[in-house]
């Protein structure tokens, strides 16, 4: 079956699934393979649960006319998404970056939805499987789509850009993350910069944090024609000012050369999110939204999934930011807790993963930074942090040990930073805070 023929079947009822646990009646089920699974074996089950068609790449599972046999199911899914994207005559905004890409994507969705029927990547479906699935969820009524793209090795953003074909794009920032795959900070810049390469080649519009020297260097090296700058200095197209961050952000923003200032009170915490808010304002303004529409979208957005999320417990205010962590996001979170005006503070940090050869020194830097902050309790959890013992701080090898320590000696009436890589399972500490 050609991709055009497969697309014809998809258009009859454009629903796609890769998980038999979440079959939508009438969908097309793609039987993907992984290191530890082979969904070809679930083809019959998918049909029983309501799938209209299944796409397989092992002949023994192509039992009847409802089974489409291809050479590689993953390639078929990606090709179908690429073909579907080619039929969409709408702005598609590609978003990547080391930190803040999911929050920025959600802010863009909140703002653009004030005027347009907007689709945005669900959750963090931002890889070689998630991006195709996201594109195939964009229907004919959608007027703007925001597609998040993640990467942990070179050429991944280039590959995803070739599928999503963004007309507009932004890199939130570049920092030390996934160093095992990228090799170095320069490797991170090269990999993320593949989005700039695509926009340059296809005459796309770039939105850039105009005060970020790394992003500026990356943009100048490519000489992109259409650039919209946002930031805090006066030479940006969108000029912002952080007013408050205690703990929720209030910002001012205005258009360059205009005196009218927009004051926005958000439900986001973390001073590092101010530039993500400005990014959404910049995109909204470029796509024709009024200042009122932009402000309404920004104020309506409420973070979830433990990303810059403020949680009020019985006695504490917890900045729950433990969905993910790397050296740059950790440092930004520490700067934020230091900036916040609170009667009493506590810092709980967990190990960062995928840091490669720089793990030891980066964890050491963060311990030194954290112990310099005025806080009643400074707690470090995980084997990487455990290697750096400092007086006046607490170190535990596991999250369970930290939990027991907090049960024995609770933290009360404090503003608490809770940040770690997802694998540390810091949600278990919420039970004792």
């Amino acid at each position: 079956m050609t991709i055009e023929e497969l697309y014809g079947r998809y258009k009859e009822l454009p629903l796609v699934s890769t998980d038999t646990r979440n079959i939508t009646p009438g969908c097309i089920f793609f039987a993907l393979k992984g290191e530890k699974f082979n969904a070809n074996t679930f083809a019959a089950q998918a049909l029983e649960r309501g799938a209209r068609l299944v796409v397989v790449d092992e002949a023994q599972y192509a039992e009847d006319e409802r089974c489409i046999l291809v050479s590689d199911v993953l390639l078929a899914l990606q090709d179908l998404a690429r073909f579907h994207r080619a039929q969409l005559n709408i702005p598609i905004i590609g978003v990547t970056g080391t930190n803040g890409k999911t929050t920025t994507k959600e802010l863009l969705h909140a703002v653009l939805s004030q005027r347009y029927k907007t689709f945005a990547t669900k959750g963090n479906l931002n890889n070689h499987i998630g991006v195709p699935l996201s594109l195939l969820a964009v229907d004919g009524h959608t007027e703007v789509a925001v597609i998040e793209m993640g990467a942990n090795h070179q050429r991944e953003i280039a590959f995803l850009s070739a599928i999503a074909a963004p007309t507009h794009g932004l890199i939130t920032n570049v920092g030390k993350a996934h160093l095992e795959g990228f090799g170095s900070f320069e490797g991170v810049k090269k990999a993320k910069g593949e989005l700039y390469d695509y926009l340059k080649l296809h005459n796309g519009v770039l939105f850039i944090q105009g005060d970020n020297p790394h992003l500026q260097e990356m943009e100048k090296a490519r000489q992109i024609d259409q650039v919209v700058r946002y930031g805090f200095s006066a030479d940006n197209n969108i000029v912002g000012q952080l007013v408050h961050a205690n703990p929720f952000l209030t910002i001012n923003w205005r258009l360059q050369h205009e005196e009218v200032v927009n004051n926005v009170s958000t439900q986001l915490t973390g001073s590092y999110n101010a530039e993500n808010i400005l990014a959404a304002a910049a995109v909204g303004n470029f796509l024709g939204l009024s200042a009122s529409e932009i402000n309404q979208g920004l104020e309506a957005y409420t973070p979830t999934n433990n990303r810059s999320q403020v949680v009020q417990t019985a006695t504490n205010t917890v900045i729950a930011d433990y969905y993910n962590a790397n050296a740059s996001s950790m440092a930004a979170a520490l700067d934020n807790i230091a900036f916040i005006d609170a009667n009493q503070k506590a810092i709980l940090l967990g190990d960062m993963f995928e840091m490669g050869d720089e793990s030891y020194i980066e964890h050491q830097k963060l311990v030194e930074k954290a112990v310099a902050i005025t806080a009643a309790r400074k707690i470090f959890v995980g084997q990487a942090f455990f290697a750096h013992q400092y007086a006046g701080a607490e170190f535990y090898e596991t999250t369970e040990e930290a939990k027991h320590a907090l049960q024995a000696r609770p933290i009360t009436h404090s503003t608490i930073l809770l940040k770690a890589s997802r694998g540390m399972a810091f949600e278990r500490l919420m039970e004792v805070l």
Side-chain angles (χ1 to χ4, degrees), residues 18 44 59 74 76 88 93 104 106 111 117 124 145 149 174 208 211 222-223 236 245 285 330 338 372 380 417 425 433:
T18 60
L74 176 58
L88 299 170
I93 304 162
T104 301
E106 294 294 341
V111 167
K117 180 172 173 36
N124 64 332
M149 298 185 289
V174 286
I208 187 170
D211 304 320
R222 293 164 174 85
Q223 294 293 304
N236 288 293
N285 178 72
M330 280 279 202
F380 302 90
L417 170 63
L433 296 176

Side-chain angles (χ1 to χ4, degrees), residues 315-390:
T315 63
N316 295 306
T317 299
V318 180
I319 300 173
D321 195 13
Y322 50 85
Y323 183 87
N324 207 349
N326 54 58
S328 52
S329 68
M330 280 279 202
L334 288 172
D335 287 338
N336 183 62
I337 192 70
F339 179 79
I340 286 175
D341 182 17
N343 291 331
Q344 185 165 271
K345 302 176 187 178
I347 297 170
L348 281 78
L349 302 184
D351 277 357
M352 302 176 292
F353 297 161
E354 297 184 55
M355 292 300 294
D357 294 338
E358 297 195 36
S359 178
Y360 184 89
I361 187 64
E362 292 300 334
H363 280 87
Q364 179 180 326
K365 288 179 182 178
L366 288 169
V367 172
E368 293 172 352
K369 187 178 181 71
V371 297
I373 296 172
T374 301
R377 300 275 294 275
K378 298 155 188 175
I379 299 173
F380 302 90
V381 186
Q383 295 182 353
F385 273 128
F386 198 75
H388 307 279
Q389 301 284 328
Y390 272 68

Side-chain angles (χ1 to χ4, degrees), residues 179-352:
L179 295 181
E180 286 180 347
F182 293 131
S184 66
F185 178 54
E186 288 302 315
V188 174
K189 290 165 64 177
K190 180 180 179 182
K192 299 298 184 182
E194 291 164 11
L195 176 58
Y196 286 5
D197 294 333
Y198 185 91
L199 294 173
K200 169 68 174 178
L201 185 63
H202 295 86
N203 198 33
V205 179
L206 168 65
F207 300 91
I208 187 170
Q209 213 285 45
D211 304 320
N212 186 309
H214 300 300
L215 297 179
Q216 287 295 304
E217 172 196 343
M218 292 161 62
E219 183 269 320
K220 287 178 181 177
R222 293 164 174 85
Q223 294 293 304
I224 297 173
D225 292 330
Q226 301 185 77
V227 180
V228 178
R229 304 181 192 280
Y230 59 90
F232 305 96
S233 58
D235 55 351
N236 288 293
N237 301 103
I238 298 290
V239 182
Q241 177 188 15
L242 176 59
V243 180
H244 296 297
N246 291 322
F248 295 111
L249 300 186
T250 297
I251 69 162
N252 290 338
W253 71 271
R254 64 177 175 83
L255 301 180
Q256 187 184 38
H257 306 312
E258 290 195 7
E259 296 182 359
V260 178
V261 175
N262 299 280
N263 182 267
V264 181
S265 297
T266 76
Q267 299 175 66
L268 267 172
T269 189
S271 54
Y272 47 86
N273 273 315
E275 60 192 53
N276 299 330
I277 293 168
L278 293 180
V283 175
N285 178 72
F286 185 85
L287 292 181
L289 273 72
S290 67
S292 176
E293 289 171 320
I294 293 169
N295 296 339
Q296 287 172 13
L298 293 174
E299 292 180 346
Y301 172 63
T302 302
T304 57
N305 300 324
N306 307 311
R307 300 175 190 270
S308 301
Q309 185 176 358
V310 176
V311 179
Q312 197 69 48
T313 67
T315 63
N316 295 306
T317 299
V318 180
I319 300 173
D321 195 13
Y322 50 85
Y323 183 87
N324 207 349
N326 54 58
S328 52
S329 68
M330 280 279 202
L334 288 172
D335 287 338
N336 183 62
I337 192 70
F339 179 79
I340 286 175
D341 182 17
N343 291 331
Q344 185 165 271
K345 302 176 187 178
I347 297 170
L348 281 78
L349 302 184
D351 277 357
M352 302 176 292

